[in-house]
């Protein structure tokens, strides 16, 4: 099945900036062209997989930029800061399939017999390239998942059958993916990505001192740069300011603390926010809900896992 010509494939425009799920459990889309809607650092509570069908694609995850080619799979874990890395004229013909799936969905599909989310934490790299047989097998599952519906012989869409089929396809996809990701020879080699020591140094320092007051001067001193050169270089590499990067890290940590059962006050205080109003304002801007509502949703989604 050619995704580029099948009208029943779900698609997202390259300019679409949405980084949240509309479906409760999973979503699968095709995107074409340079994804200018994903230029800013973002992160989410669900897992993401990007499969490159045609052309090239680049993504900055944490402190690495992955330069992907046709046939590559990029696996993005929960709460990993990432963004599209624009390369002029290189991605105009890029075509990708994007899969978003929640931890709850994978836990239900695994049924306690297999941790289907383990593939997101197996390798030193987040990018894989599998032999052609396995690539086409996984691609086939993704394309079927991206179809908008199944149609009976009468021509009437069959929503129930589509839902059941999708659960089976998701299970098969992640069982095969987990087995394949356990083979180190399928990791892309270092020639396919670029390491950014500056981002790594800053990230490690922030993680170790999130509960404390962190200033630009302190960070510049850590990386042995002048303050203004550091600010300019960091923005050039990541696309966001040092302050925004730090705020996102604190929000990620706060969410992790809430999931562990910490109280809202304990969560924001342990992550270095100056006061609750600052925490609430930033939290709502990123997650679109209050921390209290987030805790309710989290308990509903993860309480039975």
């Amino acid at each position: 099945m050619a995704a580029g010509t099948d009208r029943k494939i779900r698609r997202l425009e390259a300019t679409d900036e949405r980084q949240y799920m509309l479906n409760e459990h999973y979503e699968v889309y095709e995107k074409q062209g340079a994804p200018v809607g994903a230029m800013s650092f973002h992160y989410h509570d669900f897992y993401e997989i990007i499969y490159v069908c045609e052309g090239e694609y680049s993504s900055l995850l944490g402190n690495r930029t992955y330069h992907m080619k046709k046939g590559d799979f990029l696996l993005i874990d929960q709460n990993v800061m990432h963004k599209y890395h624009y390369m002029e004229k290189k991605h105009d013909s890029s075509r990708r399939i994007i899969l978003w799936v929640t931890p709850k969905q994978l836990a239900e599909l695994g049924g306690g017999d297999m941790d289907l989310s383990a593939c997101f934490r197996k390798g030193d790299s987040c990018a894989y390239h599998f032999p052609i047989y396995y690539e086409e097998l996984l691609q086939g599952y993704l394309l079927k998942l991206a179809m908008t519906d199944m149609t009976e012989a009468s021509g009437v869409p069959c929503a129930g059958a589509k839902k059941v089929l999708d659960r089976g396809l998701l299970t098969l996809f992640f069982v095969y993916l987990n087995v394949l990701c356990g083979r180190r020879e399928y990791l892309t080699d270092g020639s396919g990505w670029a390491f950014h020591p500056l981002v790594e140094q800053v990230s490690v320092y922030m993680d170790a001192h999130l509960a404390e007051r962190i200033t630009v001067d302190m960070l510049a001193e850590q990386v042995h740069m002048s303050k203004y050169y550091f600010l300019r270089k960091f923005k050039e590499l990541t696309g966001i300011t040092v302050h925004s990067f730090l705020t996102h890290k604190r929000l990620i940590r706060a969410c992790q603390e809430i999931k562990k059962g910490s109280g809202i006050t304990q969560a924001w205080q342990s992550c270095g926010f100056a006061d609750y109003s600052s925490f609430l304002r930033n939290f709502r801007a990123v997650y679109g809900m209050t921390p209290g509502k987030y805790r309710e949703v989290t308990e509903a989604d993860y309480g039975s896992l």
Side-chain angles (χ1 to χ4, degrees), residues 246-288:
L246 176 58
T247 298
H248 286 311
K249 277 192 162 289
R250 284 180 164 150
L251 288 171
I252 290 171
R253 179 74 63 83
C255 288
Q256 292 170 341
E257 291 299 316
I258 292 171
K259 285 181 184 178
K260 292 177 184 177
S262 298
I264 303 298
T265 300
Q266 181 183 350
W268 71 260
Q269 289 180 342
S270 67
C271 299
F273 283 96
D275 50 59
Y276 178 70
S277 62
S278 173
F279 169 63
L280 178 62
R281 182 177 65 256
N282 284 287
F283 195 98
R284 295 181 72 167
V286 172
Y287 294 101

Side-chain angles (χ1 to χ4, degrees), residues 11-231:
R11 294 190 175 89
L12 276 182
E13 295 298 323
T15 55
D16 197 316
E17 297 183 358
R18 178 165 67 88
Q19 293 298 330
Y20 56 87
M21 292 177 60
L22 299 177
N23 189 292
E24 185 179 356
H25 303 296
Y26 67 91
E27 294 182 13
V28 186
Y29 298 98
E30 180 191 81
K31 270 193 173 184
Q32 297 188 37
V36 293
M39 296 292 286
S40 300
F41 254 127
H42 57 275
Y43 50 92
H44 24 67
D45 274 355
F46 50 83
Y47 301 108
E48 180 173 10
I49 291 177
I50 301 173
Y51 166 65
V52 182
C53 306
E54 293 178 4
E56 298 180 39
Y57 178 84
S58 297
S59 184
L60 173 60
L61 272 71
N63 64 337
R64 289 181 183 176
T65 296
Y66 290 90
H67 300 293
M68 303 167 63
K69 59 184 184 301
K70 183 179 183 299
D72 286 350
F73 288 79
L74 186 67
L75 279 61
I76 305 175
D77 201 355
Q78 295 175 278
N79 290 323
V80 172
M81 294 177 67
H82 59 283
K83 66 184 285 291
Y84 166 60
H85 182 82
Y86 177 69
M87 297 185 71
E88 189 174 2
K89 298 181 180 179
K90 281 232 173 187
H91 303 151
D92 292 346
S93 61
S94 174
R95 183 164 63 86
R96 307 158 307 286
I97 296 179
I98 313 296
L99 185 155
W100 292 337
V101 63
T102 65
K104 182 179 181 181
Q105 177 71 83
L106 291 184
E108 290 177 352
L109 294 176
D113 298 315
M114 185 175 185
D115 180 7
L116 296 182
S117 67
C119 55
F120 294 95
R121 302 179 295 275
K122 282 191 174 181
D124 301 327
S125 169
C126 298
Y128 295 83
H129 191 93
F130 305 121
I132 188 65
Y133 169 79
Y134 294 114
E135 179 200 335
E136 291 182 347
L137 185 71
L138 295 175
Q139 180 192 53
Y141 294 146
L142 288 175
L143 288 172
K144 289 182 176 69
L145 284 164
M147 291 177 61
T148 56
D149 59 51
M150 283 185 64
T151 304
E152 298 173 339
S154 62
V156 178
C158 187
K162 170 64 173 167
K163 188 174 181 179
V164 174
L165 177 63
D166 279 1
R167 286 200 297 269
L169 292 169
L170 271 175
T171 304
L172 287 168
F173 177 83
F174 277 101
V175 168
Y176 275 105
L177 187 65
N178 272 274
V179 172
L180 292 169
C181 288
R183 305 279 297 273
R184 293 191 60 83
E185 62 265 35
Y186 297 154
L187 286 167
T188 58
D189 58 35
S191 63
W193 48 267
F195 178 67
H196 305 298
L198 173 62
V199 181
E200 171 73 3
Q201 286 178 271
V202 171
S203 183
V204 168
Y205 182 85
M206 286 180 175
D207 287 339
H209 301 275
L210 274 184
E212 307 165 19
R213 180 171 175 267
I214 299 175
T215 67
V216 171
D217 289 318
M218 293 163 62
L219 294 171
E221 183 178 348
Q222 284 293 316
V223 297
H224 309 293
M225 292 180 178
S226 70
K227 176 180 176 179
Y228 297 105
Y229 179 73
F230 165 63
L231 289 171

